[in-house]
């Protein structure tokens, strides 16, 4: 029996209202290009592993200002064990994952990847991180959307054009009642809606010969995740979708009107994907996975992200689940306002605030530093802060201190603005005197004293007697590891924040750039 397969946009306007999605593009995806030549030795030499990820509620996300996720934490552990930095690159369109991997934008795809034979022609898969099953997700009853209506319309009468009124952006909801499916054979003649590029399309095709009628598979180009598809089932917009069982169980704990049953395919693996011509990297991943898969580390992370339903509900109901809400903290507007005064990206100031206090305005360190940006009492007085625990006073004072550091020490000394930020942050943490000592040591030993990497090396050495007693050192001993890590952690967190929080100024620059170099320059960006 041949299964009907539809590639559909599926009510784009209404989905845009529900999910924030754009109109679909029904063009078929071109095959990925040949892979570039970069294996584990080149990655180790570069010192950075770049992972391609999609935003999802279990693999990689931001919550309360902190990057989290099952696959993210595993990748971070792998990177740490191999002395690598990890950089995450969020991909909005799953269609482009293999393309970006083979083009070299990233080195590994970590996006709840289900290894399929068809994809083996383009990429190579690691050993399994875990195994799960494909299950049907269906609503057990009708659930009304924005405004309740009294009438329940039969599926045959459901007319999206009648529902959508362009003058009413929040149309009255029409709930659709569908029969419950208890066995996969009952799917014959039913419509199953799948998110774009779902691996479960193949699972449904493989069981179709056993059915007495066609399964109508609708691929929703505007829906990029299983989470979004399950939301549509719960809301009554579609009747059925297929998802990984462990994810569906989490959603079942949140959407109380869905049923996760029956299983519609065999148990399958979830793995990572690398380029086919990167056997060293694949073997490094495989060896590490085999070594740790039965360890407490793997078990604890799996429980944290797939078993702990209370923790999951807290995250997805929180306004601090950043990719869903665009919010990092209660102080985003404050940070935006004061970051603009010194020409900083507010997300960088937010990353520093998280590093200092985890966005806690009453935070106090063992040394007496206070508030969101941990001002010392003397510094607070110098920058005119009467109450360091007052968020607005604290941020205003910290920004004044950052500006003073720039004006006094680094504005002329470090011409590159990106490098200068690193010197300012290090000075904020340990004092400008120690950083100046490290610059003098760098210059004495033939390094570039305007490049943070060179200066950071000598700042680290200042904990050694043979170095801090050098005649060019004026400020003595320093625990250089602390400011070096401080700068590194803030910049790393800043990269995460940029993945999930759109900065309006940067958006304006990007739009102006599309209009031409002159417009980009007027908007504050570079052509």
């Amino acid at each position: 029996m041949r299964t009907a397969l539809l590639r559909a946009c599926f009510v784009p306007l209404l989905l845009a209202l529900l999910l924030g999605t754009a109109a679909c593009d029904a063009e078929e995806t071109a095959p990925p290009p040949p892979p570039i030549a970069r294996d584990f030795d080149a990655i180790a030499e570069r010192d950075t592993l770049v992972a391609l990820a999609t935003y999802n509620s279990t693999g990689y996300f931001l919550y309360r200002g902190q990057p989290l996720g099952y696959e993210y934490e595993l990748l971070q552990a792998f990177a740490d064990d191999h002395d690598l930095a990890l950089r995450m690159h969020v991909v909005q369109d799953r269609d482009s994952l293999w393309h970006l991997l083979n083009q070299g934008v990233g080195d590994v795809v970590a996006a709840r990847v289900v290894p399929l034979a068809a994809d083996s022609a383009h990429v190579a898969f690691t050993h399994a991180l875990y195994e799960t099953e494909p299950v049907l997700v269906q609503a057990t009853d009708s659930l009304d959307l924005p405004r309740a209506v009294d009438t329940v319309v039969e599926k045959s009468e459901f007319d999206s054009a009648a529902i959508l009124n362009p003058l009413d952006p929040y149309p009255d909801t029409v709930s659709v009642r569908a029969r419950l499916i208890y066995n996969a054979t009952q799917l014959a003649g039913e419509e199953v809606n799948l998110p774009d590029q779902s691996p479960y399309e193949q699972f449904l095709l493989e069981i179709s010969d056993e059915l007495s009628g066609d399964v109508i598979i609708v691929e929703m180009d505007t829906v990029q995740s299983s989470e979004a598809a399950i939301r549509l089932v719960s809301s009554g917009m579609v009747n059925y979708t297929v998802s990984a069982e462990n994810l569906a169980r989490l959603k079942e704990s949140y959407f109380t009107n869905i049923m996760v049953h029956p299983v519609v395919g065999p148990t399958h693996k979830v793995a990572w994907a690398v380029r086919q011509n990167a056997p060293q990297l694949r073997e490094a991943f495989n060896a590490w996975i085999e070594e740790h898969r039965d360890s407490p580390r793997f078990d604890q992370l799996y429980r944290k992200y797939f078993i702990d339903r209370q923790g999951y509900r807290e995250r997805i109901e929180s306004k601090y689940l950043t990719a869903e809400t665009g919010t990092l903290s209660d102080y985003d507007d404050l940070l935006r306002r004061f970051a603009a005064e010194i020409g900083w990206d507010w997300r960088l100031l937010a990353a520093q605030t998280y590093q200092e206090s985890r966005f806690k305005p009453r935070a106090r360190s063992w040394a007496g530093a206070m508030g969101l940006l941990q001002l010392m009492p003397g510094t607070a007085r110098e920058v005119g802060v009467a109450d360091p625990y007052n968020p607005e006073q604290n941020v205003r004072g910290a920004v004044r201190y950052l500006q003073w550091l720039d004006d006094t020490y680094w504005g002329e000394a470090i011409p590159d603005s990106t490098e200068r930020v690193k010197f300012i942050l290090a000075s904020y943490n340990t004092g400008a005197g120690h950083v100046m000592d490290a610059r003098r040591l760098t210059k004495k030993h033939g390094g570039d004293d305007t490049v943070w990497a060179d200066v950071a090396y000598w700042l680290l050495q200042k904990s050694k007697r043979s170095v801090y007693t050098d005649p060019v050192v004026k400020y003595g001993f320093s625990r250089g590891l602390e400011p070096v890590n401080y700068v590194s952690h803030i910049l790393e967190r800043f990269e995460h924040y940029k993945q999930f929080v759109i900065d309006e100024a940067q958006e304006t620059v990007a739009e102006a750039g599309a209009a031409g170099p002159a417009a980009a320059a007027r908007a504050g960006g570079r052509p």
Side-chain angles (χ1 to χ4, degrees):
M1 180 70 65
R2 177 180 171 80
T3 300
L5 172 61
L6 302 178
R7 187 172 178 82
C9 188
F10 185 71
V11 197
L13 176 58
L14 187 52
L15 282 185
L17 293 174
L18 292 174
L19 306 173
T21 55
C24 72
D25 179 359
E27 294 180 4
E28 292 297 329
T29 304
I36 67 160
R38 185 197 301 145
D39 207 344
F40 191 53
D41 52 355
I43 294 168
E45 184 176 350
R46 187 183 60 187
D47 198 34
T48 301
L49 176 70
V50 181
L52 300 172
T54 56
Y55 163 72
N56 62 66
S57 62
T58 59
Y60 173 51
F61 55 90
L62 274 185
Y63 177 61
R64 294 188 175 273
Q66 184 178 4
L68 294 169
Y70 177 77
E71 294 186 70
Y72 167 73
E73 291 202 44
L74 287 180
L75 284 169
Q76 187 63 69
F78 172 87
D80 290 344
D81 288 351
H82 292 83
D83 296 320
L84 296 170
L86 174 65
R87 183 161 62 85
M88 303 298 290
H89 182 96
V90 173
V91 178
Q92 300 296 335
D93 186 356
R94 291 189 68 91
D95 287 357
S96 62
L97 284 170
W98 299 161
H99 291 72
L100 296 174
L101 178 66
N102 282 356
Q103 289 167 358
V105 175
D107 304 305
V108 57
V109 174
R112 295 197 301 228
V113 172
V114 177
L116 298 177
D119 292 328
S120 297
H122 308 297
V123 298
F125 300 104
T126 67
H127 291 339
L129 303 174
Y130 60 86
E131 294 185 350
T132 187
E133 296 174 318
V135 292
L136 189 72
V137 180
Q138 53 188 315
T140 55
D141 55 34
S142 299
L143 179 67
D144 290 331
L145 282 168
R147 294 201 302 268
V149 294
D150 296 327
T151 304
V152 175
V153 181
E154 294 301 325
K155 183 179 186 307
S156 61
E157 301 172 33
F158 180 40
D159 181 357
S160 60
I163 297 172
L164 295 177
N165 179 350
L167 299 179
D168 182 4
Y170 300 101
D172 289 335
T173 300
V174 175
S175 300
V176 178
R177 221 185 272 284
R179 65 169 183 157
L180 290 178
I181 301 293
Y182 296 98
N183 187 288
T185 59
Q186 293 177 291
L187 284 173
E190 297 292 343
E191 182 179 289
V192 180
N193 290 263
L194 299 179
D196 191 33
Q197 297 298 303
S198 170
Y200 301 120
E201 175 187 313
Q202 185 62 37
F203 285 73
L204 289 176
L205 290 172
E206 289 174 356
I207 66 171
S208 63
D209 285 342
E210 302 175 12
L211 304 182
S212 58
D214 290 349
V215 176
I216 304 170
I217 305 172
V218 179
E219 186 175 293
M220 301 180 289
D221 287 1
T222 52
V223 179
Q224 291 287 320
S225 68
S226 291
E227 288 95 328
I230 293 172
R231 191 185 314 160
L232 289 174
V233 171
S234 176
S235 69
M237 290 305 303
V238 303
N239 290 333
Y240 311 107
T241 191
V242 175
S243 169
E245 188 267 346
N246 54 3
L247 173 64
R249 293 297 176 194
L250 286 175
K251 304 303 288 186
E252 186 181 37
S253 70
Y254 180 67
F255 294 121
T256 56
N257 72 320
I258 63 172
M259 183 171 78
V260 178
H261 183 79
V263 174
V264 294
T267 298
H268 65 78
K269 300 175 181 179
V270 173
W272 291 328
V274 299
R275 287 178 289 274
Q276 284 187 329
N277 61 345
Q280 295 174 354
L281 179 60
R282 182 170 181 260
E283 286 307 311
F285 277 131
N286 284 344
W288 187 84
I289 291 169
E290 287 304 309
E291 180 182 357
H292 296 285
R293 187 163 48 195
D294 295 327
S295 69
R297 173 190 285 176
F298 263 62
D299 182 63
Q300 289 166 4
L301 285 178
Y302 191 88
R303 289 180 176 278
K304 177 179 179 180
Y305 291 109
F306 291 107
I307 305 299
D308 180 5
R309 297 186 179 188
Q310 180 177 347
Y312 176 78
R313 287 195 301 272
E314 289 175 0
R315 290 195 298 272
I316 62 174
E317 291 174 354
S318 169
K319 70 177 181 179
Y320 305 115
L321 187 60
T322 304
E324 296 286 347
T325 66
T327 300
L328 285 170
S329 74
D330 287 331
Y331 309 102
D332 290 1
D333 289 341
L334 200 63
L335 295 168
R336 282 189 181 93
R337 174 152 54 97
F338 286 110
E341 294 186 3
I342 55 173
W344 277 27
D345 186 316
W346 78 273
R347 296 167 296 184
L348 174 60
L349 187 60
Q352 184 185 10
T353 306
Y354 181 92
Q355 184 67 28
E356 290 286 357
S357 68
R358 304 300 192 265
F359 299 123
K360 297 176 182 177
R362 303 294 300 180
R364 183 182 178 92
S365 76
W366 64 270
M370 297 171 284
L372 285 172
L373 280 147
Q374 291 291 277
L375 292 173
M376 293 294 290
T379 304
R381 288 192 296 270
E382 289 173 4
V383 294
V385 173
D387 179 7
Y389 293 118
N390 177 282
E392 182 165 350
Q393 289 189 40
N394 190 282
V395 176
R396 180 190 293 114
V399 164
R400 286 176 178 172
Y401 183 50
L402 290 166
Q403 185 65 65
W404 179 82
L405 289 170
D406 190 11
D407 294 342
T408 306
Y409 296 101
W410 310 118
E412 295 181 3
I414 312 297
D416 183 275
S417 60
T418 301
E419 289 296 308
R420 192 186 314 139
V421 164
K422 302 171 187 176
F423 284 83
I424 294 170
L425 289 172
S427 301
Y428 190 98
N429 177 261
T430 195
H434 289 302
V435 183
M436 292 171 68
D437 278 347
R439 283 194 74 202
R440 286 187 284 268
L441 287 164
T442 302
K443 189 172 183 178
K444 175 178 179 178
H445 292 277
D448 188 340
D449 67 349
T450 67
V451 173
W452 173 247
D454 288 6
V455 175
Y457 172 81
W458 286 104
L459 189 55
L460 289 168
Q461 306 311 306
K462 280 196 67 188
S463 63
K464 299 177 181 178
R465 182 177 179 81
S466 60
V467 175
Y468 68 73
T469 57
D470 189 295
V472 303
V473 174
K474 298 182 180 180
Y475 292 89
F477 171 84
S478 170
R479 291 188 295 272
L481 183 62
E482 182 178 339
V484 170
N485 281 342
Y486 180 83
V487 173
S488 176
H489 292 330
I490 290 172
L491 294 180
E492 179 183 343
R493 188 165 289 109
F494 178 38
E495 290 301 316
H496 288 291
Y497 289 3
K498 287 193 293 185
Q499 299 279 351
F500 289 100
V501 183
I502 300 299
D503 178 64
E504 292 179 2
Q506 295 299 318
E507 217 174 29
T508 301
V509 169
E511 291 171 358
R522 289 194 299 272
R526 297 180 181 178

